[in-house]
Amino acid sequence: MAHVCHLNLSRGYRGGERQTELLIRALSQRGLTQRAVVRAGQPLGQRLADVPGLDIQAIARPFPTKLRCVQGDVVHAHDTRGAQLAWLRWRVSGLPYLVTRRLGKRPSNSALTRAVYANAAACVGVAKSVSAVIAAYAGRPTTTVYSALSDLAVNPEIRDRLRARWGSSYVVVNVAALVDAQKGQSCLIEAAHGLAARQSGMHFVLVGAGRDRERFERQARDGKASIEFAGFVDNVGDYLAAADAFVLPSRHEGIGGAALDAMRAGLPVIASAVDGLPEFIEHDVNGLLVPAGDSRALEQALLRLFEAPEWAHRMAVAGQETARAFNVDRMADAYQTIYQDITRGDA
């Protein structure tokens, strides 16, 4: 059985870090020996502290001086800096590595980035669209392993307090980092202002932290929409359980795991028709797709949900059925097969 060394050197705790945690926990339950090399002082290492048998190595910059921490039969790089360190370890010792790519954007053309993908034992995309980008970029086969849903806990008391605070409003939630270049919340705020001029009773809740929060808050004050900034929260499940609808207006996206979480929670979902999102959202069947950056189309989609609750409910039920397929065991099975292929020399 392979000894796997996971590398994730990202700051903060976003979708990639959540997927790293889910995978490590699932593999731990299967008895795999694992090491996690993480950035010192960041949430991922703290969140993994209770995983049985996991060897956690928290390292600080400069990362190349910590090469000795990268040990095992196979290295799994979950982010860009981790991939660079995995490549360097391969250069020094020949330790094989795989790279998981989570964004649909084409990687940079730097010599280092090209070397990282060219020499990996395996490349993985979290959606078919991501895999296609990597295959074209690196000129090599790429495997698709869809991200998994996590079991988002719901505290009924907190859920009910949120709902009581929002009153009778129709509550639309967005869960994403507040980074407009990727997540596109400025488009959602613009749509909210447009709706406020036509329809009262809607309340928008943006859950997440990020560099564009102050900018979004200024934009929110420029109109009449009811918009709340909840910040980063650990109890996302409570917000989803208390809401009426979910919107992910991303400009680019890997898989859009937050939309899957919302579907599993039974919410009707509106998302941008970009990258991996159309791979599981079928327009007018289990969700609505709108062009990225089109606030008018987003406004119209929100109005449809608001004005047709029975239809929106049927779509949400279909979304729940879709979400069931994106489970952690399926993701863990796929990665375990890749690890075995690499250690046997089949990759």
Side-chain angles (χ1 to χ4, degrees), residues 61-82:
R61 300 180 70 177
F63 299 131
T65 65
K66 314 300 193 303
L67 270 185
R68 289 185 179 180
C69 292
V70 183
Q71 297 179 8
D73 298 319
V74 60
V75 177
H76 187 168
H78 294 267
D79 75 316
T80 299
R81 291 193 183 278

Side-chain angles (χ1 to χ4, degrees), residues 12-94:
Y13 187 85
R14 295 179 59 180
E17 290 65 63
R18 184 174 69 156
Q19 292 300 312
T20 303
E21 179 184 352
L22 286 173
L23 178 60
I24 289 173
R25 290 187 181 279
L27 295 175
S28 174
Q29 292 176 358
R30 299 175 180 210
L32 265 72
T33 304
Q34 300 178 92
R35 169 175 286 196
V37 180
V38 300
R39 186 187 284 255
Q42 296 303 306
L44 181 58
Q46 300 161 14
R47 295 179 72 104
L48 291 170
D50 66 336
V51 177
L54 178 65
D55 177 14
I56 301 174
Q57 300 286 319
I59 64 174
R61 300 180 70 177
F63 299 131
T65 65
K66 314 300 193 303
L67 270 185
R68 289 185 179 180
C69 292
V70 183
Q71 297 179 8
D73 298 319
V74 60
V75 177
H76 187 168
H78 294 267
D79 75 316
T80 299
R81 291 193 183 278
Q84 292 170 351
L85 192 63
W87 171 81
L88 185 58
R89 185 57 161 157
W90 169 81
R91 286 271 298 183
V92 170
S93 66

Side-chain angles (χ1 to χ4, degrees), residues 243-312:
D244 296 296
F246 179 88
V247 173
L248 190 65
S250 302
R251 302 183 191 280
H252 65 87
E253 194 65 71
I255 183 66
L260 278 167
D261 287 330
M263 291 167 77
R264 182 172 181 175
L267 293 179
V269 168
I270 302 171
S272 299
V274 296
D275 301 324
L277 288 162
E279 293 180 34
F280 64 90
I281 298 177
E282 186 177 355
H283 183 67
D284 262 348
V285 175
N286 62 358
L288 294 177
L289 293 169
V290 297
D294 190 336
S295 62
R296 179 64 176 168
L298 181 54
E299 181 182 333
Q300 289 296 114
L302 282 162
L303 194 60
R304 285 183 67 193
L305 292 185
F306 180 80
E307 292 181 340
E310 292 184 1
W311 165 77

